[in-house]
Amino acid sequence: MKARTRARMATVVVASAGLLLVIAGVAGATVTPPTGALSIAAGASGNENLTISVPAGTTPNVDIEFVVDTTGSMAGGIARAQADAIAIVTGVQAVIPGAQFAVVQFKDSTDAIEYRVEQSMTASASAVSAALNTLSATGGADNPEAQNTVFHNSATPVTGGSIGWRAGSRSFVIVLTDSEPHGAGSAGVAGCVDTSADPHGLNTATVLAEAKAALRTIFMVLEPGAQTSSLACYQGIAARGYAGGQGVNGGVNLAPQILALVTGATTTVTDLHLSVASATPVPAAASWITSTPPSFGPLATPFTVTAKVTATVPAATPAGTYVFDLVALADGADVGHHVLTITVGGGGADTTPPSCAKTSFTGMPDTIYITMQDGGSGMASIVVASTTNATVTIPAFTAGTTAPLVVKVSKVTFGAGQAKFVLTDVAGNVSRCDPYIKR
């Protein structure tokens, strides 16, 4: 919007400090036992129990995205942000050494700068300060602004991207503004009234659903004296993000409000579940592992829960040792790992080589399609040994796949054509395939 502001960036300082006080202490979270071992025959299953404990005031790394409306009405808030930048970063990092920050500004599509990441996630206070010092209050001639773009870009991609979100971090988006997103009212966001079309065709409900799926907790801070938005609208926006977000009025009494918001967002875990971070070597896969229950939540810290982990080894899996890194994720945050080693004995080893069969034919040019498959340990490689008057197209595949692979062989000129293949599965079984095109 246009020309108004007051006591707002100080709000973010207090919000960050509150965040620190509440969520520090990741070292206390545990997954026990840290390692495990199961001996399982191919085609069979094994179980183990894991205990996940999260003490009060515990969370891992935190990523905080500061999003600043830099239209004409935000001059005062921008100035305070610039003055407080060093204190924000160093204050948070005093309690959470691994905390990182990003700085984003937005206006609207009619402005020279509609949206720009001024600083991707960084631990450097000076870099955050330098980014904020580039901001100035200009533009924003109409009422709604580019918040839809902000939410979409915050969520896409989930990790990395220009913002630099880190995997395994609890993520927060703090939006400092005094206007509504384009079409927020039309999209059905509670409390919002704007019905204008988004210049990029974005829908507020859709981009907020993206933010929720990306585990972004949203804090909407309403600029004091704002005339084109409302607290109800900001609360409606925050409610559609990930758990713990809220809309609040900015102002001199905001400190206890922000502290309460962050406390609520970080002392309750909405979703805790186990995920497979890695599985080696092939054919080990995440699909081998399930847990019961599949997730927990909501859980108020401190808490301790026990999950039953079931490992199911597919039939015909080669004998060997397979290692799985299981990670416990609390609202997307990494709270501990368990390394599970599975030893698969003999008796169920794959001794059947891959199959190869002609499945169809087309003309002009004469072409045959050969289906190659290994339903045991999975296909490891398909090698063209030789070709005669033929070209070959092999689909891309991941070693260990048991899915059918359709290979195309086409004649180059008149006369017979042939291609010879060597197929090898993960267990080392080999077969040869020599399709021949007579026409």
Side-chain angles (χ1 to χ4, degrees), residues 1-3 69-73 107-111 138-145 228:
M1 268 209 36
K2 263 202 260 319
D69 180 343
T70 56
T71 55
S73 56
K107 299 177 188 286
D108 205 357
S109 62
T110 56
D111 296 303
T138 60
D142 62 350
N143 291 336
E145 310 296 0
T228 63

Side-chain angles (χ1 to χ4, degrees), residues 33-421:
T35 61
L38 295 172
S39 293
I40 307 173
S45 299
N47 302 299
E48 65 173 1
N49 290 326
L50 296 183
T51 299
I52 305 168
S53 297
V54 178
T58 298
T59 201
N61 290 333
V62 170
D63 286 348
I64 302 169
E65 178 190 3
F66 289 119
V67 183
V68 183
D69 180 343
T70 56
T71 55
S73 56
M74 300 295 296
I78 294 170
R80 280 186 291 278
Q82 293 166 340
D84 295 335
I86 298 295
I88 293 172
V89 177
T90 57
V92 172
Q93 291 176 339
V95 183
I96 306 176
Q100 292 195 4
F101 307 81
V103 176
V104 172
Q105 71 158 311
F106 74 96
K107 299 177 188 286
D108 205 357
S109 62
T110 56
D111 296 303
I113 299 174
E114 178 184 11
Y115 169 94
R116 189 164 69 192
V117 177
E118 301 296 342
Q119 173 62 56
S120 58
M121 288 294 168
T122 179
S124 169
S126 60
V128 172
S129 178
L132 287 169
N133 284 336
T134 66
L135 305 184
S136 60
T138 60
D142 62 350
N143 291 336
E145 310 296 0
Q147 289 95 335
N148 288 335
T149 297
V150 167
F151 297 133
H152 173 72
N153 291 351
S154 177
T156 308
V158 175
T159 59
S162 58
I163 295 173
W165 297 105
R166 295 175 292 171
S169 291
R170 185 75 165 90
S171 53
F172 293 86
V173 180
I174 302 176
V175 184
L176 314 175
T177 182
D178 60 358
S179 61
E180 291 190 14
H182 284 282
S186 303
V189 178
C192 299
V193 298
D194 190 86
T195 59
S196 63
D198 186 278
H200 304 294
L202 297 173
N203 177 280
T204 307
T206 300
V207 295
L208 289 174
E210 293 173 348
K212 182 177 182 179
L215 308 185
R216 307 287 190 250
T217 294
I218 299 171
F219 294 109
M220 296 293 295
V221 183
L222 180 63
E223 177 68 9
Q227 296 180 357
T228 63
S229 191
S230 67
L231 180 60
C233 176
Y234 283 15
Q235 290 171 336
I237 290 171
R240 288 180 176 244
Y242 192 67
Q246 286 195 35
V248 296
N249 283 313
V252 294
N253 296 320
L254 190 58
Q257 291 176 291
I258 292 294
L259 182 58
L261 292 173
V262 178
T263 300
T266 56
T267 60
T268 298
V269 174
T270 300
D271 176 81
L272 174 73
H273 67 274
L274 290 166
S275 180
V276 177
S278 66
T280 57
V282 171
S287 59
W288 291 21
I289 306 297
T290 58
S291 60
T292 306
S295 63
F296 300 89
L299 301 168
T301 58
F303 63 78
T304 297
V305 297
T306 299
K308 178 183 178 181
V309 173
T310 300
T312 301
V313 179
T317 297
T321 300
Y322 302 92
V323 180
F324 294 77
D325 178 14
L326 309 184
V327 57
L329 297 173
D331 292 337
D334 181 341
V335 294
H337 289 248
H338 172 81
V339 177
L340 172 61
T341 301
I342 298 176
T343 301
V344 179
D350 179 11
T351 59
T352 303
S355 63
C356 172
K358 176 181 172 181
T359 50
S360 63
F361 171 86
T362 60
M364 300 184 66
D366 291 347
T367 300
I368 58 173
Y369 296 87
I370 305 102
T371 298
M372 303 178 181
Q373 187 172 14
D374 188 273
S377 56
M379 192 75 75
S381 65
I382 299 174
V383 177
V384 180
S386 67
T387 59
T388 302
N389 190 30
T391 61
V392 173
T393 303
I394 300 174
F397 65 92
T398 301
T401 183
T402 57
L405 302 168
V406 179
V407 175
K408 176 182 175 182
V409 180
S410 300
K411 285 199 321 185
V412 177
T413 62
F414 293 108
Q418 187 177 33
K420 296 183 179 182
F421 299 89

